[in-house]
């Protein structure tokens, strides 16, 4: 793989040797998200896992956004 960038290599590889943050999967309505828990019932979105195509355009589902979520729904 070739990476063409103007950034210094140290900046590109920053954090590469660190362990990733623990994530979990939650449902927010009809959207399945991978999040990093930041507090009880709150999480930072890492990525959208399952949704309708138009849900990708919703600004509140942008990776990095903070969401509130309920306990896992056992019926899913």
């Amino acid at each position: 793989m070739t990476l063409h960038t103007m950034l210094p290599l140290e900046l590109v590889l920053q954090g590469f040797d660190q362990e990733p943050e623990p994530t979990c999967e939650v449902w927010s309505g009809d959207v399945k998200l991978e999040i990093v828990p930041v507090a009880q019932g709150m999480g930072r979105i890492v990525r959208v896992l399952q949704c309708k195509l138009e849900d990708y355009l919703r600004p509140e589902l942008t990776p990095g956004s903070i969401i509130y979520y309920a306990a896992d729904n056992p019926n899913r």
Side-chain angles (χ1 to χ4, degrees):
M1 179 176 90
T2 304
L3 175 65
H4 297 279
T5 180
M6 295 175 53
L7 297 173
L9 184 60
E10 296 80 22
L11 187 59
V12 172
L13 298 178
Q14 183 178 16
F16 184 74
D17 57 344
Q18 297 174 350
E19 289 291 321
E21 296 176 292
T23 62
C24 62
E25 296 177 3
V26 298
W27 286 91
S28 177
D30 291 337
V31 180
K32 186 176 185 181
L33 302 165
E34 180 180 2
I35 64 161
V36 173
V38 295
Q40 184 68 29
M42 290 178 56
R44 182 175 40 84
I45 298 174
V46 176
R47 63 184 173 151
V48 178
L49 296 173
Q50 184 177 340
C51 67
K52 296 180 279 186
L53 287 177
E54 60 267 14
D55 289 333
Y56 284 106
L57 299 175
R58 293 173 47 192
E60 66 271 15
L61 297 178
T62 306
S65 299
I66 302 294
I67 63 158
Y68 296 95
Y69 63 93
D72 287 301
N73 185 347
N75 297 327
R76 293 267 178 183

